Amino acid sequence: MTSEPTRPDPAKYVLFDVDGTLIDALSNQRRVWETWATRYGLDPDAVYRVALRTRPMETFAAVAPGRDPRECLAALHELEDEDVRSGVYASFDGAAELLSGLPAQCWALVTSNYEHRVRGRFARTGLPFPGVVVDAAAVDEGKPSPVPYLLAAERLGAVPADCLVIEDAPSGVESGLRAGMTVWGVNAPVAVDGVHRHFGTLREAVPDILAFATGLQRESAG
């Protein structure tokens, strides 16, 4: 028998992490932290290992406890802003097709970065920008707290059960799971603990993400 599209499901929403999920910024992040560490006379590799798993203020407390954290943050922000202006960025394969194919008002960005930097990176890579962005300034608790994803759902007018989170990192996966959402992992050779589905690359996930968002999944007729 032939297969036909099912009827669309009620509204579904997709919430994306940014760095490591849509934008390949790993080398940029490493370069910024190495420059920051060198400025403070610290071991760049050691600092970067801490920065990978903590928020900046927590990183400063761990690697430079004797320094004024506000001064440390100002220096980091200066380096990050300069990187947005002059660094080389690329979006992951499939990102442009995916974001352009999503229904309007059904997706958002949830990032531990700041919106002006994310806008700069999206402009540099040509990716479409959504109407809803939850950034580091929008919440007091970052990932792995569920707060960022719950706020994004609220701003979209969605309930958590209707939201799909796309993440690449353990803290983001935990955040989405604690928010009561479906979580798919991308851009990692091994599945992050807890994800409902795993894709080695974003490109592999594109058809399934679009199907989730539109509700036009195909199934075989009896």
Side-chain angles (χ1 to χ4, degrees):
M1 302 289 291
T2 59
S3 61
E4 297 180 356
T6 64
R7 294 182 61 186
D9 293 331
K12 299 291 185 180
Y13 303 84
V14 187
L15 312 180
F16 293 96
D17 174 51
V18 177
D19 294 336
T21 299
L22 296 172
I23 301 256
D24 186 357
L26 186 62
S27 61
N28 302 73
Q29 292 171 334
R30 187 178 189 99
R31 183 168 57 251
V32 164
W33 275 109
E34 286 178 346
T35 303
W36 182 90
T38 300
R39 179 178 295 185
Y40 283 90
L42 301 171
D43 177 9
D45 290 335
V47 168
Y48 185 64
R49 284 194 295 270
V50 176
L52 276 176
R53 62 178 188 272
T54 61
R55 301 184 86 187
M57 296 301 277
E58 297 165 345
T59 302
F60 306 145
V63 304
R67 297 280 188 170
D68 181 349
R70 293 168 298 180
E71 174 194 321
C72 293
L73 187 62
L76 181 67
H77 283 177
E78 175 189 337
L79 293 169
E80 289 182 324
D81 287 343
E82 176 56 33
D83 185 70
V84 170
R85 289 190 293 268
S86 61
V88 176
Y89 285 92
S91 59
F92 283 103
D93 182 31
E97 173 189 336
L98 172 58
L99 299 185
S100 298
L102 288 170
Q105 309 304 318
C106 89
W107 63 284
L109 302 177
V110 181
T111 176
S112 299
N113 211 319
Y114 290 86
E115 182 173 343
H116 72 278
R117 294 195 196 107
V118 176
R119 283 185 177 276
R121 293 176 181 184
F122 271 55
R124 297 284 296 281
T125 55
L127 294 178
F129 204 78
V132 173
V133 179
V134 173
D135 70 347
V139 293
D140 292 328
E141 299 178 33
K143 304 172 187 178
S145 166
V147 169
Y149 279 111
L150 289 174
L151 179 59
E154 178 183 329
R155 290 181 174 179
L156 286 169
V159 297
D162 289 334
C163 295
L164 170 63
V165 168
I166 307 298
E167 273 280 0
D168 73 301
S171 63
V173 168
E174 182 179 345
S175 177
L177 292 172
R178 290 174 64 188
M181 300 175 181
T182 300
V183 182
W184 293 354
V186 299
N187 296 333
V190 178
V192 175
D193 288 345
V195 295
H196 296 100
R197 293 187 66 183
H198 167 70
F199 301 86
T201 66
L202 179 66
R203 163 57 67 189
E204 294 172 26
V206 168
D208 294 85
I209 296 172
L210 291 174
F212 177 94
T214 61
L216 293 176
Q217 302 182 33
R218 299 178 67 85
E219 60 182 26
S220 298

